Amino acid sequence: GKEVLLLMQALNTLSTPEEKLAALCKKYADLLEESRNVQKQMKILQKKQAQVVKEKVHLQSEHSKAILARSKLESLCRELQRHNKTLKEENMQQAREEEERRKEATAHFQITLNEIQAQLEQHDIHNAKLRQENIELGEKLKKLIEQYALREEHIDKVFKHKELQQQLVDAKLQQTTQLIKEAEEKHQREREFLLKEATESRHKCEQMKQQEAQLKQQLSLYMDKFEEFQTTMAKSNELFTTFRQEMEKMTKKIKKLEKETIVWRTKWENNNKALLQMAEEKTVRDKEYKGFQIKLERLEKLCRALQTERNELNEKVE
């Protein structure tokens, strides 16, 4: 609104239409330069978008690495279960062997029965400790797998949210590019139309000036003829009638030129209104562009937060 008021005040300070038209052309050139700056900023935003896409690909590769680590942990868990099963079978086999030895020792060596019983008790205590340790280790591994599954589910949700945000940013950037393209095309058409109108107005003004000069010359001639006619009025009434008709024709021509002047003034005012509307549209585009900048800053903050969380997860997995 302030720019429009300043433009109108600047135009009102000018006296001739040519100066006002030159000022409008200069203002339009400034607006075109600002539009080019907006295009440069759009290229910078596209570069930032490419950087975000690269970070997304990097996060996906990290996700695949985490999946591989999970598969390794699962294979280690299965191997540990097989090892526990083997230990359990060995302990059972050892217990059976000890039982047979005890029976044989009871039959052959009744004297050493107490010692063998003490050894069996010690073996039982050791086996019970091993079983308890295996159970605790299995519970710890189960909890670790559950925690890893929850972390993986959280990472999947974050990736899905990131993909949705990326799609939203792509759609908004595409919409902004389309709007800027349409605005540029509209500005180009309006510029060509205004240049054409300005050329025609200048040509018409020159013609009107020429016609005005010719009319002044004819009027001066008619005034001379009228003076001559006053001296010879008594001699010829026909010359007076002819002169009056020519004066009427000149009056009609002058009225016609005044009407054309009003029409061209109206066109010039319409061009001023069109330029004001273009300035308002530019203000709206600037506000939308600022909104896109704020959204991009938020996305960058979110990416940094995701990277921090990913590094923490990698540290925990290691």
Side-chain angles (χ1 to χ4, degrees), residues 31 33 45 60 80 89 94 107 114 117 164 172 175 188 223 242 246 255 269 278 290 294 315:
L31 291 175
E33 184 66 24
L45 289 175
Q60 287 179 351
L80 183 61
E89 291 177 354
Q94 188 177 5
N114 295 326
Q117 287 179 352
L164 291 174
K172 288 185 176 180
Q175 185 180 5
Q188 185 67 24
M223 290 297 291
T242 304
E246 289 179 357
K255 288 181 178 180
E269 290 176 355
M278 289 170 61
K290 290 180 181 178
I294 293 170
E315 291 177 358

Side-chain angles (χ1 to χ4, degrees), residues 165-208:
Q165 288 182 344
Q166 182 66 33
Q167 292 175 0
L168 180 61
V169 171
D170 293 337
K172 288 185 176 180
L173 284 174
Q174 186 177 3
Q175 185 180 5
T176 305
T177 306
Q178 185 66 26
L179 290 173
I180 291 173
K181 184 177 179 182
E182 291 177 356
E184 288 178 352
E185 292 176 355
K186 184 178 179 182
H187 290 169
Q188 185 67 24
R189 289 195 299 269
E190 291 177 352
R191 180 174 175 271
E192 292 175 357
F193 178 74
L194 289 172
L195 290 174
K196 185 178 179 182
E197 290 288 333
T199 305
E200 291 179 356
S201 299
R202 192 177 292 110
H203 184 65
K204 287 286 185 181
C205 288
E206 291 176 356
Q207 288 180 354
M208 289 171 66

Side-chain angles (χ1 to χ4, degrees), residues 114-261:
N114 295 326
E115 295 179 357
I116 294 171
Q117 287 179 352
Q119 290 179 359
L120 286 173
E121 289 177 357
Q122 290 179 358
H123 282 295
D124 290 335
I125 292 169
H126 181 67
N127 291 331
K129 289 181 179 179
L130 287 175
R131 283 195 296 272
Q132 186 66 28
E133 289 177 357
N134 289 332
I135 291 170
E136 292 177 355
L137 184 59
E139 290 178 354
K140 289 180 180 179
L141 287 173
K142 186 176 180 182
K143 290 180 180 180
L144 181 61
I145 291 170
E146 290 177 354
Q147 291 178 359
Y148 188 79
L150 292 173
R151 285 288 182 183
E152 186 178 5
E153 184 178 358
H154 178 67
I155 291 172
D156 291 334
K157 290 181 179 179
V158 171
F159 273 114
K160 289 180 180 178
H161 183 66
K162 180 68 176 177
E163 289 176 356
L164 291 174
Q165 288 182 344
Q166 182 66 33
Q167 292 175 0
L168 180 61
V169 171
D170 293 337
K172 288 185 176 180
L173 284 174
Q174 186 177 3
Q175 185 180 5
T176 305
T177 306
Q178 185 66 26
L179 290 173
I180 291 173
K181 184 177 179 182
E182 291 177 356
E184 288 178 352
E185 292 176 355
K186 184 178 179 182
H187 290 169
Q188 185 67 24
R189 289 195 299 269
E190 291 177 352
R191 180 174 175 271
E192 292 175 357
F193 178 74
L194 289 172
L195 290 174
K196 185 178 179 182
E197 290 288 333
T199 305
E200 291 179 356
S201 299
R202 192 177 292 110
H203 184 65
K204 287 286 185 181
C205 288
E206 291 176 356
Q207 288 180 354
M208 289 171 66
K209 287 180 179 178
Q210 292 176 1
Q211 290 178 359
E212 185 180 1
Q214 291 176 0
L215 289 173
K216 286 180 179 179
Q217 291 176 1
Q218 291 178 1
L219 185 61
S220 63
L221 291 173
Y222 291 146
M223 290 297 291
D224 294 336
K225 288 180 181 180
F226 181 72
E227 290 176 357
E228 293 177 357
F229 176 73
Q230 284 180 348
T231 58
T232 60
M233 186 177 178
K235 297 179 181 180
S236 179
N237 292 325
E238 293 178 358
L239 291 174
F240 177 74
T241 304
T242 304
F243 179 73
R244 186 175 61 186
Q245 290 177 354
E246 289 179 357
M247 287 294 291
E248 289 177 355
K249 290 180 180 179
M250 288 301 298
T251 304
K252 290 180 180 179
K253 286 183 179 180
I254 291 170
K255 288 181 178 180
K256 185 178 180 181
L257 289 174
E258 288 178 354
K259 289 181 181 179
E260 290 180 355
T261 305

Side-chain angles (χ1 to χ4, degrees), residues 87-99:
L87 287 176
K88 187 176 180 180
E89 291 177 354
E90 289 179 356
N91 290 330
M92 291 176 67
Q93 183 67 28
Q94 188 177 5
R96 287 194 293 270
E97 290 177 357
E98 291 293 335
E99 184 68 22

